[in-house]
Amino acid sequence: MPADVDDDTAFEIVEELFNTQINPAVAQHGGKVELIDVQDGVVVLRMMGGCQGCGMANVTLRQGIEASLKRAVPSIQGLKDITDHAAGTNPYFQAGTK
Amino acid sequence: MTGRRERRGSGGRGDEGEDEAGRKRLLLILPTTTYRTEAFVEAALRLDVALTVSSERDSAFSAQEPERLLTLDLARPERALRQAQRFAAATPVHGAFGVDDATALVAAMVNDALGVPTSPVHAVRAAGDKQRQREVLARAGVPVPAFTVHHMEEPVDRVAASTAFPCVLKPLDLAASRGVIRADDPEGFRAAHRRLRRILEAAGRQRTHGAPPRFLVEAYVPGPEFALEGLVRDGALHVLALFDKPDPLEGPFFEETIYVTPSRVPAEQQRALMRAAQDAVRALGLTRGPAHVELRHNRRGPWLIELAARPIGGKCGRVLRFGPGGEISLEELHLAHALDLRHDVPPLAPGAHGVMMLPIPRAGVLREVRGTDRALAVPGIIGVEITMHRGQRVVPLPEEARYLGFVFARAGEPEAVEAALRAAYDELEIVIE
């Protein structure tokens, strides 16, 4: 995989990963992740379904999605999650204890 | 070439088990129900440690990222320990950290097994056991409310007849004030007992290993309540923050609302509270890690109500920032100490800090929380987070123990923080049908 790519090329690689790895994985929890854009190496995404408002969404982002993307495109600088998690109505994991 | 690189073994890691970048690995143990996932994960990433997140349920990426995601049977600590040991044999771990009572115990067991400095497992276990904790503290002379322990099938009239009033019924097996009810006389005791029975049934706690659930009957201690957030190192309790709870907690239910630090009570009273917390830490045998302590104070002095070997709950930790510019979060501080990345305890950021846990006013279905923009516009308010989602069934204390959300404030003085929190709450319109 290329170490350093422009945003358009990164978008294509990331989109393929979303289709083949990321979304099949989160679908197990009723979730879906939409790729919005790649801007200056930052992947902009939105979480939906079971991921939206999920108490473990940050773990999915950091330990799952970001790890996969950086392995495929090392020049990825990070993720920007634009999800309105407060509007999630069916989160897979619900925070609710101290 | 560094010494670390020279020590690399065949597995591509150093003898001390750092990852390829030379980073220590943290096993962060989070129940899927915690409010604190993001705060702790982001803190770990800011510390630039290799991170493995462990929960009781599989992540969507568990199969793809086995070094980063680990499933542990948190309901069975001994089994969780074996699972963690198997993981650590292949992926060296430099420290484990648990964010709540149950995971703190598993983390202590893992650290102990791995030879990582930790509080003794028996001390963390005692801290997480309401009955054992009270027995240890009372024996050590730490001022705790008088208490007795009963099971739900004892004749209620007999228990009530042997009880001094006012008292507080507390289930041993529920958390966060759920099922905690004050009773002022035998009739109130019977009513509280009936209600507690229904709560335990709803929580699936009818019997454990064939035995009926147990509950504490504790003397009600009048007086204002405080929360102390601390960090224990070498058995010494470093007080990170002492919070006033300006709303009286007099029952019949004990719903947490506003926390404000620094405390406004006289310095001598603060010192007495801190001494009681230190005495409790010592009595339990805790030597390392977080301590969250609930205390009261009245004309007889401080009272230790509850101690937990974990950080403050909910999202309340967000208001605690350390260092002159507030550049260090509470979570970073705890994780850095857990991995021995720092040994100092920086002071709380200047100013006053507060949080309000938003109570659930009545049962129903949450339709909307209006006015969050107006609440955010109140001077001193730095955040409003609604943690329950629209369409969710909401149930107030004592049947459930969740919050609608949290409001955070910062200002020059505690009075301004409290006023800002109350003004922000007044702006919120909670629509429940």
Side-chain angles (χ1 to χ4, degrees), chain A residues 22 25-26 28-29 55-56 58-60 62-65 67-68 71 87-89 91-98, chain B residues 32-38 41-42 45 51 55 57-58 60-61 64-65 68-69 176 314 387 389-390 392 402:
Chain A
I22 306 297
V26 298
Q28 302 170 77
H29 289 188
M56 300 298 275
N58 192 257
V59 172
T60 299
R62 297 299 196 186
Q63 299 294 92
I65 298 174
S68 297
R71 218 169 19 244
T89 55
Y92 190 74
F93 294 124
Q94 173 72 50
T97 64
K98 293 186 97 175
Chain B
T32 56
T33 51
T34 183
Y35 287 109
R36 288 169 275 180
T37 299
E38 184 173 0
V41 169
E42 294 301 320
L45 297 174
L51 177 63
S55 298
R57 305 262 307 267
D58 284 346
F61 288 89
Q64 290 97 318
E65 305 291 344
R68 294 169 180 268
L69 296 160
T387 47
H389 61 78
R390 284 197 286 267
Q392 186 171 356
R402 292 182 175 182

Side-chain angles (χ1 to χ4, degrees), chain A residues 82-94:
Chain A
I82 62 166
T83 309
D84 179 4
H85 282 286
T89 55
N90 191 26
Y92 190 74
F93 294 124
Q94 173 72 50

